[in-house]
Amino acid sequence: MTRDLTITEVRLTPILVADAPLLNTQGVHQPYTPRLIVEVVTADGVTGLGETYGDARYLEPARSLAALLPGRSVMDVNGLFALDLAVDESRVADTLDAGGLRGVQNADKLRLSVLSAFEVACLDAQGKALGLPVHALLGGKVRDSVEYSAYLFYKWAGHPEGVPCEPDEWGAALDPAGIVAQAREFTERYGFTSFKLKGGVFPPDEEIAAVRALAEAFPGHPLRLDPNGAWSVPTSLKVAAELAGVLEYLEDPALGTAAMAEVSAGTSVPLATNMCVTTFGEIREAFTADAVQVVLSDHHYWGGLRNTGRLAAICAAFGVGVSMHSNTHLGISLAAMTQVAATVPDLHHACDSHYPWQSEDVLTERIEFTGGRVAVSDAPGLGVELDRDELARLHRRWAEDDGTMRDRDDAAAMRAADPRWRTPAMPRW
C-alpha cells in the first residue's frame, strides 16, 4: 500500500519541566526548565516526535518553520534546511546562551537547534510509516545498547525557600563525601560505571579532592571533570597535572580554542569539548591546533541526527574521539541520542545524560538504564509514545507562568538565594 507522507499538520507545545537545584559555574538550575515538543503529522495520520530547547528565542523560528511544512513530504528532510526561519538576530548575535553553558549563541546555531527537533520528528514519522527504527534510516546500528555516564552535580538540598518547585529526593551534595554518595546512588539505581562531575562551582582544589574521592570509591572507573571554561590556562594545567592518570578526559577547562590548545600542549590528559567545537566551521581550527581530543556531539546543536553522523566521520578522519553532550532533556531527546549513537562506529566514550535528574517526562513509559546502558529500540521510529495528558499538564504550567521561567537563566535562579550574585567573569580561577 502506498503511504501518503504529506505533512498536514505541525503541533508545537512549549512546556516547563521540573529541574533539581544543580549548581554550575554560572549559578543554579531554575525550578523549571523550558522545552519544546514538536509533532509532525502526515496525511496518513502518522505522528513524528521531536524535542528541543523551549526558551522564547527558539519559539519564533520554530513557529515560522512549522507554518512552512504542511504540503511538504515528511521524506524531504534535506529541504528543511533550505527553508527560511524567522530569527530575531538582535537577540542572539554572539551572545552566551543559557549563561554560557551552551556556548556562544548566534542566529545560525539557533536555527540548527530548532531544525534538529523537526529533523528528528520527520525521521520518527518516516520510521513509523515504513515500519523501521530510526537507526535503520541512518544506515543501521552497530551496537544493541548505548553506554551512558552518571552525570554528577554539586547541588543544594532544595530550591530556596518560598520559590515554587517540585520535591527533590536527591539531597545536598556540596563536598567530596556528598559527591561520592550521589555517585553511589546513581550506581545503585541505574548501574552506571563511569562518572562525570560538573565543576567550576568551587575552587579547583576542592573539585580535585572530589575527583580523587571518586577514584578511591570507584577504582578503575572512567572519570571526567567539566568546569565549563571557568579556569585560566595556568589553573587548567595545574588541575590536569594533579589529576593525570585519574581522569579519562578533562572537559572545557578553559574558554575558547586558543586557550584549549595552550592547555592541550602542556598536558597529556585528553581534553574534550562541547563549547569550542559546536559547528562544522569551528572544526578546522580546533583540530589543526590539537586543541581537543574528544568532541561531545549534541544533535540539538549540530542540526539533527544526520549531521551528528557527519561530525563523527570527520572526527574519525582526524583521530579525534566522539562522545555525546547532554543538557536538561526529556525522553524524546534521549531516544534520539540513543538511536544515532547506535550507528556511530567509533563511539569509545560513554555518553552524557541529564535524564536521571528529570522527574517528569512526556512519554507513556520512561526510558530505562540497565547496567548504565540504554537498549537500542528496534520498534518503528524512535520507539517512544507521547503521553498527551502529561504533555497538556506541563504545557499548562508553561502557560500559567508569569514569564520568569520561560527562559533558562541560572544566574537569575541563584539570585533567588543570594540577591548579590552576579554572573562571574571568566575565568573564575
Side-chain angles (χ1 to χ4, degrees), residues 24-25 101 197-201 207 225-231 236 250-254 275 426 429:
N24 55 54
T25 197
L101 301 181
L197 174 62
K198 177 66 74 177
V201 176
E207 298 182 353
L225 176 60
D226 172 21
N228 276 121
W231 302 336
S236 300
L250 180 58
E251 181 181 339
D252 286 309
M275 297 181 74
M426 294 296 175
W429 292 282

Side-chain angles (χ1 to χ4, degrees), residues 192-276:
F192 293 119
T193 58
S194 65
F195 304 91
K196 170 177 168 174
L197 174 62
K198 177 66 74 177
V201 176
F202 296 116
D205 285 346
E206 296 184 36
E207 298 182 353
I208 290 170
V211 172
R212 289 195 177 281
L214 287 169
E216 183 177 349
F218 300 94
H221 290 243
L223 304 176
R224 304 106 176 246
L225 176 60
D226 172 21
N228 276 121
W231 302 336
S232 66
V233 169
T235 298
S236 300
L237 289 170
K238 175 184 181 295
V239 175
E242 292 269 358
L243 295 177
V246 178
L247 289 177
E248 176 187 14
Y249 57 67
L250 180 58
E251 181 181 339
D252 286 309
L255 279 179
T257 295
M260 289 283 284
E262 194 173 347
V263 177
S264 179
T267 181
S268 61
V269 176
L271 302 187
T273 188
N274 77 280
M275 297 181 74
C276 69

